[in-house]
Amino acid sequence: GESVGLHLPTLSVQEGDNSIINCAYSNSASDYFIWYKQESGKGPQFIIDIRSNMDKRQGQRVTVLLNKTVKHLSLQIAATQPGDSAVYFCAENPDMNTGFQKLVFGTGTRLLVSP
Amino acid sequence: DTEVTQTPKHLVMGMTNKKSLKCEQHMGHRAMYWYKQKAKKPPELMFVYSYEKLSINESVPSRFSPECPNSSLLNLHLHALQPEDSALYLCASSYDRIGGYTFGSGTRLTVV
């Protein structure tokens, strides 16, 4: 089936550093992408999304970059804080022609922030 | 109300038991979803309901039976599960084709 992302890596950073989490997607037809944060024992939490007609979108301390040429998505977190420690998943919606979203999740990246 | 509420939070059941997972949202979302998540893995789609009708069944075994009694409620009925079905079961909802899902906190299911 379709797959998004690579094996589960771990990114370790110091508090205050900028973090970059990467994701590769496989379906060139995907038109909509989302980053989720999942803390231990909780469900995934929406962080930021981007449509394929954009290559960059900024939120509060987060930026998502989309490179459709190489099918790559990244999440940048500025001034990383211990509370940012979690597993981060990218997700894509390969079919925008339905009245709902059929999100396919990447394998995830664990972010560890040390004080 | 901007939450998806799942009950119970934890469930231990035997392989001959029948149990149900419940999910509720009051955000007016028209689509509701069940995902299964094994440890250290991404969520995997099981079922999608759109406007209270089953739109997607991702070849899920019949021992999992979804039900959508109304636009705010989603159930997952469990019967004769196997130990390998132990996982975190996540419910989610969405309003439309974009905007992502709102997830519940999940039900941690253990089959013994």
Side-chain angles (χ1 to χ4, degrees), chain A residues 23-70:
Chain A
C23 174
Y25 64 94
S26 59
N27 193 329
S28 57
S30 290
D31 189 43
Y32 180 58
F33 304 86
I34 305 172
W35 280 100
Y36 281 92
K37 172 186 180 182
Q38 188 174 23
E39 297 176 275
S40 181
K42 297 184 178 180
Q45 178 185 3
F46 177 98
I47 301 173
I48 192 168
D49 61 357
I50 189 167
R51 294 290 301 269
S52 61
N53 60 354
M54 303 173 69
D55 53 20
K56 180 180 179 178
R57 189 160 188 234
Q58 290 184 290
Q60 187 176 11
R61 281 201 308 119
V62 295
T63 300
V64 55
L65 299 178
L66 175 63
N67 186 330
K68 295 182 289 294
T69 301
V70 295

Side-chain angles (χ1 to χ4, degrees), chain B residues 27-77:
Chain B
M27 295 176 280
H29 287 177
R30 301 304 191 183
M32 297 187 76
Y33 312 79
W34 282 114
Y35 275 78
K36 173 182 178 180
Q37 186 177 27
K38 301 284 276 186
K40 299 182 181 179
K41 296 291 186 182
E44 295 180 346
L45 182 65
M46 300 175 72
F47 302 104
V48 179
Y49 273 84
S50 179
Y51 290 87
E52 303 170 42
K53 293 186 177 179
L54 183 63
S55 297
I56 292 180
N57 175 342
E58 293 283 38
S59 303
V60 179
S62 60
R63 57 186 184 268
F64 296 90
S65 177
E67 178 195 18
C68 189
N70 59 56
S71 60
S72 298
L73 297 175
L74 187 66
N75 299 321
L76 186 62
H77 303 297

Side-chain angles (χ1 to χ4, degrees), chain B residues 2-109:
Chain B
T2 58
E3 290 186 346
V4 173
T5 302
Q6 290 188 244
T7 56
K9 294 192 182 301
H10 301 275
L11 178 63
V12 179
M13 61 184 291
M15 289 187 285
T16 59
N17 291 160
K18 286 185 180 181
K19 296 288 185 182
S20 296
L21 310 185
K22 297 186 182 299
C23 175
E24 188 170 4
Q25 60 88 14
H26 296 287
M27 295 176 280
H29 287 177
R30 301 304 191 183
M32 297 187 76
Y33 312 79
W34 282 114
Y35 275 78
K36 173 182 178 180
Q37 186 177 27
K38 301 284 276 186
K40 299 182 181 179
K41 296 291 186 182
E44 295 180 346
L45 182 65
M46 300 175 72
F47 302 104
V48 179
Y49 273 84
S50 179
Y51 290 87
E52 303 170 42
K53 293 186 177 179
L54 183 63
S55 297
I56 292 180
N57 175 342
E58 293 283 38
S59 303
V60 179
S62 60
R63 57 186 184 268
F64 296 90
S65 177
E67 178 195 18
C68 189
N70 59 56
S71 60
S72 298
L73 297 175
L74 187 66
N75 299 321
L76 186 62
H77 303 297
L78 314 173
H79 173 56
L81 294 193
Q82 303 298 311
E84 58 265 29
D85 296 321
S86 298
L88 180 67
Y89 288 84
L90 293 162
C91 175
S93 67
S94 70
Y95 187 73
D96 208 324
R97 296 177 298 159
I98 60 172
Y101 301 159
T102 300
F103 279 95
S105 292
T107 294
R108 177 73 61 188
L109 174 67

